[in-house]
Amino acid sequence: MTPAPSAKGTVPFGEHKTWYRVTGDLGSGLAPVVVVHGGPGSTHDYLLPLARLAEEGRAIVHYDQIGNGGSTHLPGRGADFWTVELFLAELDNLLTSLGIADDYVLFGQSWGGLLVAEHAAARPAGLRGLVIANSPASYPLWLEEMAVLRAQLPPGVNEMLLRHEAAGTTDSEEYYGAMTPFYEKHVCRLKPWPREYRASFYEVYNDPTVYYAMNGPSEFHVVGTLKDWGVEDRLADIAVPTLVLSGRHDEATPKTVRPYAERIPDARWVVFEDSSHLPHLEEPEAFHEVMTEYLKSL
């Protein structure tokens, strides 16, 4: 059961609004954990189980990045609007607006992991700790590994996917159907998918503006503006204790995650043996134990 929020609302972000949810007391004296979701273009929903960490006395902050969920939707904006800099500015704005910019911990999952790494590399004075979960260090690395994972799909599946990608028919029912074996193997191995994950999954496809612009039509076909971006050359500048998480069956394969463990000066890497891309859902007790231990160590 997800704990009830202690506060919900929006903060102004330029002409727009960022929706947020707080679990616990921001004035507890312990640095709150700000949870940065993946996508780009997903929502906080699939990460709601992290609210349980508030039981240890530390506030947990979830938010929806602009373009999705409870934040301002901008379906008319082109790819030039949706930039890494936009989402870094939104995160800075949220920290300042909530009055926690001088004392906080960041948890970034998938795309959110790259975003928090970029943020941390600037050495903000208030950052106390960093968790990078299920994140590639760059999209070129991700694409290399996607080719490997796709080749391991059941006979004929990758060929069908490639056919649709070449024809530009990735919005077809057949393409979506062919995506399923990959998602069930490397994104979420639970059947049926948990309600929290389904909520975020449907939010992306209800308004795919951001996802399509920055990522592309699927997890394994990245043709958006992020396709050449990465944070590998920034990792040595991260100066806080960092926990790196991944799943044994993760679409974020060891090759894509390893730069975090090797280049961040104070990093520890934990692999969840029975998980793919969502260990907090697939192995909730083991995940909670690892996170609680890390937060107590700060």
Side-chain angles (χ1 to χ4, degrees):
M1 180 75 72
T2 302
S6 52
K8 277 174 149 180
T10 60
V11 298
F13 175 48
E15 301 173 1
H16 315 302
K17 290 183 178 179
T18 300
W19 179 94
Y20 71 90
R21 176 195 200 274
V22 180
T23 310
D25 179 10
L26 286 177
S28 70
L30 294 172
V33 179
V34 179
V35 179
V36 184
H37 66 68
S42 187
T43 62
H44 78 285
D45 301 86
Y46 77 102
L47 291 166
L48 264 179
L50 272 73
R52 179 184 167 196
L53 293 166
E55 294 168 358
E56 305 293 326
R58 188 185 300 268
I60 309 299
V61 179
H62 289 81
Y63 75 103
D64 286 335
Q65 293 164 26
I66 185 173
N68 288 85
S71 297
T72 305
H73 288 234
L74 296 160
R77 294 300 179 101
D80 59 334
F81 178 78
W82 306 107
T83 62
V84 172
E85 290 70 27
L86 173 75
F87 292 103
L88 288 170
E90 181 185 34
L91 176 56
D92 286 341
N93 181 71
L94 178 73
L95 296 169
T96 301
S97 299
L98 294 181
I100 58 174
D102 60 349
D103 191 30
Y104 63 99
V105 175
L106 286 180
F107 176 99
Q109 201 274 338
S110 199
W111 135 261
L114 289 100
L115 196 66
V116 300
E118 186 73 32
H119 173 95
R123 299 196 174 183
L127 182 64
R128 301 290 175 252
L130 186 69
V131 183
I132 298 172
N134 317 100
S135 302
S138 79
Y139 283 93
L141 266 180
W142 176 268
L143 284 167
E144 279 181 34
E145 290 296 277
M146 287 303 105
V148 174
L149 296 180
R150 286 173 61 142
Q152 297 169 1
L153 290 172
V157 173
N158 195 33
E159 288 74 14
M160 182 187 296
L161 292 168
L162 289 167
R163 197 159 57 244
H164 281 290
E165 289 160 5
T169 51
T170 54
D171 57 352
S172 68
E173 287 299 319
E174 189 175 50
Y175 186 81
Y176 283 130
M179 282 166 42
T180 303
F182 182 95
Y183 280 66
E184 290 181 342
K185 187 175 182 183
H186 298 298
V187 182
C188 185
R189 295 167 70 85
L190 299 176
K191 292 184 181 180
W193 281 348
R195 178 174 50 83
E196 298 94 338
Y197 178 58
R198 282 186 280 119
S200 285
F201 189 85
Y202 293 137
E203 287 270 11
V204 173
Y205 287 99
N206 285 337
D207 185 353
T209 305
V210 183
Y211 190 70
Y212 283 2
M214 298 183 78
N215 187 87
S218 70
E219 292 293 280
F220 45 77
H221 189 49
V222 180
V223 291
T225 56
L226 290 177
K227 69 181 186 298
D228 299 317
W229 183 64
V231 294
E232 290 163 290
D233 61 347
R234 304 278 283 134
L235 299 180
D237 294 328
I238 294 174
V240 295
T242 301
L243 177 63
V244 180
L245 306 176
S246 64
R248 180 63 64 196
H249 310 283
D250 207 327
E251 58 178 347
T253 65
K255 184 176 179 179
T256 72
V257 175
R258 188 168 289 113
Y260 293 116
E262 292 182 346
R263 300 190 187 191
I264 297 173
D266 184 5
R268 174 179 169 236
W269 185 8
V270 176
V271 179
F272 293 91
E273 294 296 331
D274 296 319
S275 293
S276 55
H277 199 51
L278 305 170
H280 67 283
L281 296 175
E282 295 168 288
E283 293 183 72
E285 293 308 318
F287 173 86
H288 186 74
E289 185 178 329
V290 168
M291 281 296 298
T292 300
E293 179 189 343
Y294 168 73
L295 290 171
K296 284 180 178 176
S297 74
L298 294 178

